[in-house]
Amino acid sequence: MDDDMEGGNLGPYQDRPRTFPSMKSKAYTPWIFRVLMRINVRVLLVLLLVCFGAIFYIGASTSPIIVFVFSVCIISFFVSIYLTKWVLAKDEGPPEMSEISDAIRDGAEGFFRTQYGTISKMAVLLGLVIFAIYLFRNTTPQQESSGLGRATSAYITVAAFLFGALCSGVAGYVGMWVSVRANVRVSSAARRSAREALQIAVRAGGFSALVVVGMAVMGVAILYAILYVWLGVDSPGAMKSTDLPLLLVGYGFGASFVALFAQLGGGIFTKAADVGADLVGKVEQGIPEDDPRNPAVIADLVGDNVGDCAARGADLFESIAAEIISAMILGGTMAKHCKIEDPSGFILFPLVVHSFDLVVSSVGIFSIRNKRESGVIGTVEDPMKTLEKGYSVTILLAVLTFGLSTRWLLYTEQAPSAWLNFALCGLVGIVTAYAFVWISKYYTDYKYEPVRTLALASSTGHGTNIIAGISLGLESTALPVLVISLAIVSAFWLGRTSGLTDEAGNPTGGLFGTAVATMGMLSTAAYVLTMDMFGPIADNAGGIVEMSQQPESVREITDVLDAVGNTTKATTKGFAIGSAALASFLLFSAYMDEVAAFAQEPFKQVDIAIPEVFVGGLLGSMLIFLFSAWACSAVGRTAQEVVNEVRRQFIERPGIMDYKEKPDYGRCVSIVASASLREMIKPGALAIISPTAVGFLFRILGYYTGHPLLGAKVVASMLMFATVSGILMALFLNTAGGAWDNAKKYIETGALGGKGSDTHKAAVTGDTVGDPFKDTAGPSLHVLIKMLATITLVMAPIFL
């Protein structure tokens, strides 16, 4: 393992007790930034102007809508730069704080380089496989008539795949970069004011969110515009704009590929370190969380950045990219069936919605301001209420801008009132998002009954805590499923009754209505990601405060922020699962349309009464459970290595407990980094290989039994069952894990015996069990179900 995994130069302990060792080391800067910094400022400005000019020229050659999207995205990038400068202008506090932050930064950046180096090699290899497949695949009649041959299609798909993977990787790096620099500034601000600490954490998360969402929108828009101009779309004898979105599926697949491995590797890292640190430090040695004497504490804090920030940035990037592309495909298909003269509004509508998301989320972020606080430093205004106020502002503006977008882009003379129906579909999505956030908060915030009941169960032992946590997680699946079911049916009905019909007079707006609802749900995605990023930044800030031995009043502030961060992380995971459910439904519909286009025959139903098709459903459900098992067991095996290492250090260095010897933090970071990179391969490979192998095998079986579409039908069944099982499993894992964590936090406030009591030890056990649930298997699952949908879109031709 690289030296940069080891975390910094750990000097000897100072003679004075309770002083953290010096860990200062040179900051790492990626090579691309090092190159840019060496370029003369004027030359760099000229290059930027040339790039912007080229982008706007291509956009103007495509559609005025694309120019609008480019303009909003570029403005949002400037806003994010302002947020960065504002956060970085804050002080880092005393030297011991910055030394700890440097160690966290070194470990996170070192792991990120190694992890993404591995992912990039796998992406290139998979790109070559996709290229080979596309060279021998069938082509649709539309592609043949437009002169788009196999080789051109292969080059476009592979380029889109690699571009999506690159953008997703950059999104992940941005999330990690800001978190490792904001954490110490939040810690320092907590010494002065809880509200200031909250504002810094929110603005740091806002920077990352605006960049991630802006890149997702800009990436799809640039790819669409380049292909539009290069292929001469809508010119005589060329491809129609309604067919162009199908060429973008490689972008979504690339984003899904990186997000899955980032979430797996980062999740294994963060939870293995967390479990190892808790089991030996808190349970066996009885020392506080994030105590500097714990050898695994730096690895734990590093994990928050690579697992919760970098991985979540890539995750949401993938969610938005997949939703935009699937909605563009369905919008183009509907416009073609309805013979709409100018289909650009229906195709580009998702890009405009997410452009407005950048605007309304920016307003929500800036609405959280630093106000003077009265009273003692430990008297903290509820941060959750402050975040909810910002979310309410964002939602209100999202409703207004969504209505404006539908009237602007979805108005058509064929159905003058259709835009109003679609605006109501968007409202359904926005209400669904709010409902998911509220439900997740109810089941994971210790202000409400479920978590307090779980904490009470800890008073009778470890076993009853586990039983109560599992039952809470199972129960928490009911309300989200009811909400998402109501949303799908309502949006489909609103779209179907919009007045848009095909040539035969049949209503055709149902699926697009569901797509619009998905866009409504994600119309506040940037603010939701801001709340998500707030969690690990606050968690890191609390760790820095504990390790630098700050006064108890400062730790009280960061504890409150950390508890709220646990809730926001859980709520945003619930939001992500809901959006994944809708996006997967859209991608499933897009897959059926693509199969029909390649097979040149209708493909609208999948009959699970056919034995082979039913087996495909079973395999899809099995995939979810097997993937979850492998992800959790990866955390368990890695945590065992950490536990053994921490125990070894406590035995061989007895002076650690008296601050006379320093722990070897770098050794734990290296162990976890090596193991997580090794362990992420098997479940990731399972996700990629399974649908392709199943579809190809049943295609061969269908060929010999006279059922040419058998492979496509089996894959459709597999995708359908995997989506349903994956949504339920992800809800259970995320909610149970978040509830266990906050039940422990509730007891640590002094309830039911407080820290160190038997009740607290039982709650720590529950939290340990829930760690791989909520931060490894659960988040990876909703990425998995979207990846399965995108990979079936890319690989559809080989199933026929």
Side-chain angles (χ1 to χ4, degrees):
M1 188 56 57
D2 293 338
D3 291 338
D4 50 40
M5 288 293 172
E6 301 292 339
N9 254 339
L10 305 182
Y13 245 45
Q14 306 286 336
D15 292 332
R16 183 167 60 89
R18 304 180 69 78
T19 301
F20 193 80
S22 174
M23 304 181 70
K24 205 80 173 176
S25 64
K26 188 177 178 181
Y28 166 75
T29 305
W31 66 268
I32 189 167
F33 292 113
R34 292 199 297 270
V35 171
L36 290 174
M37 285 189 293
R38 290 173 185 169
I39 300 176
N40 183 275
V41 176
R42 293 180 180 178
V43 175
L44 192 59
L45 285 173
V46 171
L47 289 174
L48 284 174
L49 287 174
V50 170
C51 290
F52 286 156
I55 288 172
F56 277 101
Y57 174 77
I58 294 172
S61 303
T62 306
S63 168
I65 302 171
I66 292 289
V67 175
F68 170 79
V69 171
F70 284 161
S71 301
V72 174
C73 289
I74 289 172
I75 291 171
S76 75
F77 289 146
F78 283 112
V79 173
S80 64
I81 290 171
Y82 166 77
L83 290 174
T84 309
K85 294 186 72 173
W86 186 90
V87 170
L88 296 182
K90 299 296 180 180
D91 69 285
E92 297 186 4
E96 57 268 24
M97 278 189 174
S98 59
E99 287 165 2
I100 299 163
S101 176
D102 289 342
I104 297 169
R105 182 205 65 212
D106 293 344
E109 292 181 341
F111 176 72
F112 185 91
R113 290 200 297 280
T114 308
Q115 182 193 29
Y116 275 73
T118 303
I119 293 173
S120 62
K121 293 172 186 173
M122 292 191 294
V124 171
L125 180 62
L126 184 58
L128 294 174
V129 172
I130 294 172
F131 183 78
I133 290 172
Y134 268 61
L135 282 180
F136 299 100
R137 72 167 198 161
N138 299 323
T139 55
T140 64
Q142 293 86 350
Q143 290 174 343
E144 290 177 359
S145 63
S146 63
L148 189 66
R150 293 178 180 176
T152 305
S153 179
Y155 283 122
I156 290 173
T157 303
V158 172
F161 170 77
L162 294 176
F163 185 48
L166 174 65
C167 291
S168 182
V170 173
Y173 178 76
V174 165
M176 183 272 301
W177 187 90
V178 69
S179 65
V180 296
R181 286 160 177 80
N183 52 14
V184 69
R185 290 167 171 84
V186 175
S187 303
S188 179
R191 299 179 304 147
R192 299 184 295 272
S193 160
R195 189 64 181 252
E196 183 185 353
L198 171 67
Q199 187 186 26
I200 294 172
V202 168
R203 290 197 171 188
F207 156 74
S208 178
L210 293 178
V211 171
V212 168
V213 176
M215 281 189 59
V217 176
M218 193 84 164
V220 175
I222 288 175
L223 195 60
Y224 179 89
I226 289 174
L227 292 177
Y228 189 97
V229 173
W230 179 40
L231 298 176
V233 174
D234 284 338
S235 58
M239 174 181 282
K240 299 298 180 185
S241 60
T242 52
D243 298 319
L244 182 57
L246 275 173
L247 296 178
L248 306 178
V249 293
Y251 184 87
F253 182 33
S256 298
F257 176 82
V258 172
L260 181 66
F261 281 98
Q263 190 67 71
L264 273 173
I268 294 168
F269 187 111
T270 181
K271 289 303 108 183
D274 195 1
V275 169
D278 283 354
L279 284 179
V280 183
K282 295 172 74 172
V283 177
E284 295 182 7
Q285 298 294 329
I287 57 179
E289 186 174 2
D290 301 325
D291 191 290
R293 293 169 291 180
N294 193 328
V297 69
I298 289 293
D300 183 12
L301 296 174
V302 167
D304 291 333
N305 296 286
V306 298
D308 288 335
C309 291
R312 198 76 74 248
D315 178 3
L316 195 72
F317 178 93
E318 179 264 346
S319 294
I320 294 171
E323 180 267 331
I324 288 175
I325 292 168
S326 59
M328 290 175 77
I329 292 172
L330 292 174
T333 302
M334 187 190 71
K336 181 168 60 176
H337 289 164
C338 296
K339 302 292 184 184
I340 295 174
E341 288 187 12
D342 182 11
S344 61
F346 289 85
I347 296 170
L348 301 177
F349 179 68
L351 294 173
V352 172
V353 168
H354 287 293
S355 298
F356 278 123
D357 171 23
L358 293 168
V359 176
V360 301
S361 295
S362 296
V363 175
I365 292 164
F366 282 103
S367 70
I368 298 175
R369 306 181 67 82
N370 183 20
K371 297 178 182 177
R372 291 188 176 276
E373 299 174 44
S374 58
V376 191
I377 191 171
T379 305
V380 186
E381 177 191 354
D382 185 2
M384 196 67 199
K385 288 184 179 178
T386 306
L387 292 173
E388 285 173 346
K389 287 177 186 175
Y391 189 43
S392 299
V393 170
T394 305
I395 283 182
L396 179 62
L397 292 174
V399 171
L400 296 175
T401 56
F402 205 95
L404 175 65
S405 302
T406 51
R407 180 62 181 83
W408 173 27
L409 298 174
L410 302 185
Y411 178 82
T412 173
E413 294 291 342
Q414 293 175 234
S417 63
W419 72 270
L420 183 58
N421 280 47
F422 290 127
L424 292 174
C425 290
L427 184 61
V428 167
I430 292 171
V431 171
T432 301
Y434 187 82
F436 261 84
V437 169
W438 185 88
I439 292 167
S440 299
K441 185 178 75 168
Y442 173 73
Y443 278 107
T444 56
D445 195 331
Y446 62 61
K447 295 176 187 171
Y448 300 102
E449 183 182 355
V451 174
R452 295 199 174 202
T453 303
L454 175 57
L456 184 62
S458 306
S459 63
T460 52
H462 302 253
T464 49
N465 171 279
I466 300 301
I467 293 169
I470 290 175
S471 63
L472 184 151
L474 293 171
E475 179 189 321
S476 70
T477 62
L479 282 177
V481 167
L482 292 175
V483 169
I484 205 72
S485 301
L486 185 62
I488 290 174
V489 172
S490 301
F492 188 88
W493 182 82
L494 284 168
R496 191 175 180 84
T497 57
S498 63
L500 290 170
T501 57
D502 61 13
E503 291 177 313
N506 299 316
T508 60
L511 282 176
F512 187 69
T514 310
V516 174
T518 309
M519 286 179 262
M521 191 167 186
L522 286 169
S523 62
T524 57
Y527 189 86
V528 172
L529 181 59
T530 299
M531 291 197 297
D532 188 88
M533 292 289 186
F534 164 84
I537 291 172
D539 192 357
N540 258 215
I544 292 171
V545 166
E546 179 72 39
M547 294 190 73
S548 59
Q549 307 296 315
Q550 297 300 310
E552 187 64 28
S553 58
V554 181
R555 181 69 206 200
E556 286 174 8
I557 288 176
T558 55
D559 278 347
V560 171
L561 295 178
D562 187 16
V564 170
N566 283 333
T567 303
T568 58
K569 284 191 291 184
T571 55
T572 49
K573 286 170 191 169
F575 172 89
I577 294 168
S579 63
L582 286 172
S584 296
F585 178 71
L586 301 182
L587 289 165
F588 177 76
S589 303
Y591 165 74
M592 297 185 77
D593 286 345
E594 187 175 14
V595 170
F598 278 106
Q600 300 180 40
E601 61 179 275
F603 186 64
K604 295 183 178 179
Q605 295 178 337
V606 179
D607 186 0
I608 61 172
I610 299 172
E612 294 88 348
V613 177
F614 182 71
V615 167
L618 283 177
L619 292 173
S621 299
M622 177 212 68
L623 173 63
I624 296 300
F625 283 83
L626 185 59
F627 179 89
S628 303
W630 284 359
C632 289
S633 64
V635 174
R637 283 191 298 270
T638 308
Q640 288 175 9
E641 294 184 43
V642 177
V643 167
N644 290 332
E645 173 61 24
V646 174
R647 284 174 177 169
R648 181 191 67 79
Q649 291 197 33
F650 277 127
I651 292 170
E652 295 181 2
R653 304 182 184 188
I656 287 176
M657 292 300 292
D658 299 322
Y659 297 92
K660 293 177 181 176
E661 292 183 82
K662 72 178 182 67
D664 185 355
Y665 303 101
R667 177 63 183 157
C668 288
V669 173
S670 183
I671 287 172
V672 179
S674 301
S676 58
L677 291 174
R678 181 179 67 248
E679 295 283 358
M680 75 178 185
I681 302 297
K682 188 167 74 168
L686 175 72
I688 295 171
I689 295 171
S690 296
T692 308
V694 168
F696 187 70
L697 288 174
F698 279 95
R699 172 195 174 178
I700 295 173
L701 180 62
Y703 175 80
Y704 286 107
T705 57
H707 296 87
L709 289 182
L710 184 62
K713 290 178 180 178
V714 170
V715 170
S717 176
M718 183 181 189
L719 180 60
M720 188 189 309
F721 279 71
T723 300
V724 172
S725 302
I727 290 166
L728 291 171
M729 179 68 84
L731 285 169
F732 161 69
L733 294 174
N734 282 330
T735 309
W740 266 316
D741 195 347
N742 269 351
K744 178 198 69 176
K745 287 281 192 301
Y746 174 61
I747 293 168
E748 288 175 348
T749 63
L752 303 173
K755 292 182 180 180
S757 64
D758 290 339
T759 303
H760 182 237
K761 290 179 180 178
V764 170
T765 300
D767 180 34
T768 302
V769 173
D771 276 340
F773 284 19
K774 67 183 175 72
D775 286 324
T776 306
S780 298
L781 275 178
H782 71 256
V783 179
L784 171 67
I785 58 179
K786 287 177 290 185
M787 181 175 170
L788 290 175
T790 53
I791 196 173
T792 51
L793 268 175
V794 172
M795 301 296 186
I798 70 170
F799 305 149
L800 304 172

